[in-house]
């Protein structure tokens, strides 16, 4: 199968919106009399397609590679994610400790307090707090992919789709539907969240009827459906927040239809952005994801230190902040990769 370049194209924009979720750059910016919180809610809700899309891409691409290379690709893929998580977890531990020492001084209680704030469940399953809060996604992808691989090995993918869908629905009661019933277990994880979308992406890769349907309907229809369902997702979120007293949540019922319509568009038009700089960056979005909290944290520290927080009320701040975080994180990731490559080459030369 030829590479679907539209995946990289959409990943570029999906990552911009994921960065926005963490940046919240319009939260304090009013525009044409509209409060910043409402602008932020609208953009933040639309942006919720990003994480499910990346989970679906994982399932879609991994299954295609397994068909080519065999079941060992599951092991290689999961091991790659584990190494990525471990490396960036340790990076952010070092990062946090440096600034904790700067802020509170070098002392044993400061360091001990920091390490005591972690629990094994956070480190190995849910993802820890502090600056590495975003690494929950990698853990969710790891555990979701392990469970998926087991079901795939026994040729029970369709059963898993149903099972993971039911778990996903249950997980919504810890998220957006908590106003109806508050499910206490954290469902932003690999079992209640990631597993369903990983499996859904794999079904898109394996089911020929889905592929045929995607091409029978014109791509722009799928795109209209994506934006239409996104609007309904916003209505759903507002209703659940203000009338049902639910949590804001990370995903909703309409998120499923948003994700499906977007992926149908991706399949129906597989060559968008081929050879473009957008796709080139889109291939490295995982690097932007793991690195962007550094830029965000340093920027917040700078504005706090110089007491210029008032700029967060400015329109230009809302417009420019997210692209700034996105591209600065991309540059930081590329630089770190070059440093890593150079260091490895030097170590190899010194051991010869």
């Amino acid at each position: 199968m030829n590479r679907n370049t539209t995946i990289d194209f959409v990943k570029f924009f999906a990552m911009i919106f994921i960065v926005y979720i963490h940046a919240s750059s319009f939260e304090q910016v009013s525009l044409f009399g509209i409060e910043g919180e409402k602008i932020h809610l609208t953009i933040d809700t639309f942006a919720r397609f990003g994480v499910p899309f990346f989970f679906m891409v994982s399932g879609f691409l991994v299954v295609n590679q397994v068909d080519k290379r065999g079941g060992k690709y599951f092991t290689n893929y999961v091991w790659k994610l584990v190494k990525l998580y471990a490396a960036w977890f340790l990076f952010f531990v070092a990062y946090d400790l440096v600034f904790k020492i700067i802020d509170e001084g070098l002392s044993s209680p400061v360091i001990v307090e920091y390490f005591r704030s972690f629990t094994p469940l956070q480190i190995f399953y849910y993802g820890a707090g502090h600056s590495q809060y975003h690494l929950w996604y990698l853990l969710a992808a790891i555990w979701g992919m392990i469970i998926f691989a087991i079901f795939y090995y026994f040729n029970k993918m369709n059963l898993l789709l149903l099972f993971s869908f039911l778990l996903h629905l249950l997980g919504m009661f810890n998220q957006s539907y908590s106003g109806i019933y508050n499910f206490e277990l954290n469902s932003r994880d690999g079992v209640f969240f990631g597993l369903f979308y990983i499996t859904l992406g794999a079904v898109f890769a394996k089911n020929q009827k889905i592929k045929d349907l995607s091409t029978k309907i014109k791509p722009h229809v799928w795109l209209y459906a994506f934006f239409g369902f996104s609007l309904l997702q916003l209505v759903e979120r507002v209703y659940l927040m203000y009338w049902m007293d639910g949590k804001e949540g990370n995903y909703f019922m309409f998120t499923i239809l948003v994700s499906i319509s977007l992926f149908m568009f991706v399949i129906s038009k597989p060559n968008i952005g081929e050879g473009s700089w957008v796709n080139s960056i889109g291939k490295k979005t995982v690097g932007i994801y793991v690195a962007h909290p550094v830029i965000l944290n340093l920027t917040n520290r700078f504005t706090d230190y110089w007491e210029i927080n008032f700029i967060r009320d400015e329109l230009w701040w809302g417009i420019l902040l997210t692209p700034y975080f996105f591209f600065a994180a991309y540059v930081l990731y590329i630089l770190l990769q070059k440093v890593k490559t150079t260091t490895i080459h030097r170590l190899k030369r010194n051991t010869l």
Side-chain angles (χ1 to χ4, degrees):
M1 186 186 84
N2 294 330
R3 182 179 180 83
N4 186 314
T5 60
T6 306
I7 288 177
D8 296 324
F9 185 83
V10 176
K11 280 168 62 179
F12 176 91
F13 294 99
M15 186 52 63
I16 286 180
F17 281 107
I18 289 173
V19 171
Y20 174 84
I21 291 173
H22 296 155
S24 304
S25 51
F26 268 99
E27 195 165 21
Q28 296 177 223
V29 179
S30 297
L31 182 63
F32 303 125
I34 303 174
E35 296 176 0
E37 288 184 3
K38 293 180 179 178
I39 299 172
H40 166 68
L41 178 67
T42 302
I43 300 173
D44 182 86
T45 304
F46 176 77
R48 293 296 159 176
F49 77 91
V51 171
F53 179 75
F54 278 100
F55 280 133
M56 287 185 72
V57 168
S58 296
F60 183 84
L61 295 180
V62 167
V63 162
N64 282 325
Q65 290 299 318
V66 167
D67 288 345
K68 291 179 181 179
R69 307 183 188 184
K72 287 185 177 180
Y73 187 81
F74 277 125
T75 305
N76 295 335
Y77 182 79
V78 170
W79 180 236
K80 181 180 178 181
L81 289 177
V82 169
K83 289 190 293 184
L84 183 66
Y85 171 75
W88 282 92
F89 178 84
L90 293 174
F91 173 89
F92 279 106
V93 166
Y95 177 88
D96 282 342
L97 283 175
V98 167
F99 279 103
K100 220 167 173 33
I101 291 169
I102 291 173
D103 294 338
E104 303 176 34
L106 178 59
S107 65
S108 297
V110 169
I111 297 173
V112 170
E113 179 191 9
Y114 174 75
F115 282 108
R116 279 182 176 174
S117 66
F118 295 105
T119 66
L121 199 59
Q122 287 178 323
I123 295 172
F124 297 109
Y125 186 74
Y126 282 118
H130 306 292
S131 297
Q132 60 273 79
Y133 61 90
H134 62 305
L135 298 182
W136 74 267
Y137 168 80
L138 295 178
L139 284 172
I142 290 167
W143 289 111
M145 191 58 70
I146 290 172
I147 297 169
F148 173 79
I150 294 170
F151 277 80
Y152 190 80
Y153 177 80
F154 289 103
N155 198 27
K156 299 294 182 182
M157 188 170 69
N158 290 334
L159 175 63
L160 179 61
L161 181 63
L162 175 61
F163 181 58
S164 62
F165 174 68
L166 294 176
L167 285 173
H168 190 60
L169 293 182
L170 178 60
M172 287 187 188
F173 290 100
N174 173 258
Q175 297 286 320
S176 47
Y177 284 80
S178 58
I180 299 173
Y181 171 76
N182 188 18
F183 179 55
E184 296 291 340
L185 199 60
N186 180 7
S187 65
R188 192 187 68 165
D189 65 353
V191 172
F192 293 101
F193 189 7
L195 180 60
F196 169 65
Y197 284 105
I198 289 171
T199 308
L200 190 61
V203 169
F204 272 64
K206 298 290 289 184
N207 194 308
Q208 189 58 45
K209 291 182 179 179
I210 292 177
K211 295 177 183 178
D212 293 341
L213 178 62
S214 71
T215 54
K216 284 180 181 178
I217 299 175
K218 293 183 178 180
H220 69 267
V221 175
W222 293 119
L223 207 55
Y224 290 155
F226 165 71
F227 286 110
F229 288 133
S230 294
L231 179 60
L232 291 173
Q233 181 180 239
L234 176 61
V235 174
E236 179 186 17
R237 183 176 190 177
V238 170
Y239 176 77
L240 292 170
M241 283 177 59
Y242 294 104
W243 279 273
M244 301 300 295
D245 295 322
K247 301 174 186 177
E248 293 186 31
N250 294 283
Y251 52 88
F252 310 85
M253 286 293 293
F254 273 107
T255 309
I256 299 171
L257 296 179
V258 167
S259 304
I260 289 174
S261 56
L262 178 59
F263 222 85
M264 292 295 266
F265 168 77
V266 167
I267 295 175
S268 68
K269 200 169 180 62
N271 299 315
I272 297 177
E274 188 172 1
S276 68
W277 63 269
V278 171
N279 286 34
S280 178
I281 296 176
K283 294 176 183 177
K284 298 180 178 65
T285 45
V286 67
I288 296 171
Y289 182 81
V290 294
H292 78 273
V294 175
I295 307 298
L296 193 153
N297 182 267
L298 291 175
T299 302
N300 287 338
R301 283 180 171 274
F302 178 83
T303 54
D304 290 342
Y305 180 80
W306 291 101
E307 298 181 349
I308 53 173
N309 290 320
F310 61 88
I311 64 175
R312 292 182 174 134
D313 300 330
E314 302 294 331
L315 179 60
W316 65 265
W317 177 267
I319 294 172
L320 297 179
L321 188 65
T322 297
Y324 152 68
F325 283 145
F326 180 87
F327 288 107
Y330 173 71
V331 172
L332 174 62
Y333 177 73
I334 295 299
L335 290 174
L336 289 174
Q337 289 299 105
K338 288 183 177 180
V339 169
K340 183 183 79 171
T341 302
T342 302
T343 303
I344 291 173
H345 285 166
R346 287 179 178 175
L347 289 173
K348 285 183 177 179
R349 283 202 303 267
N350 291 337
T351 55
L352 293 177

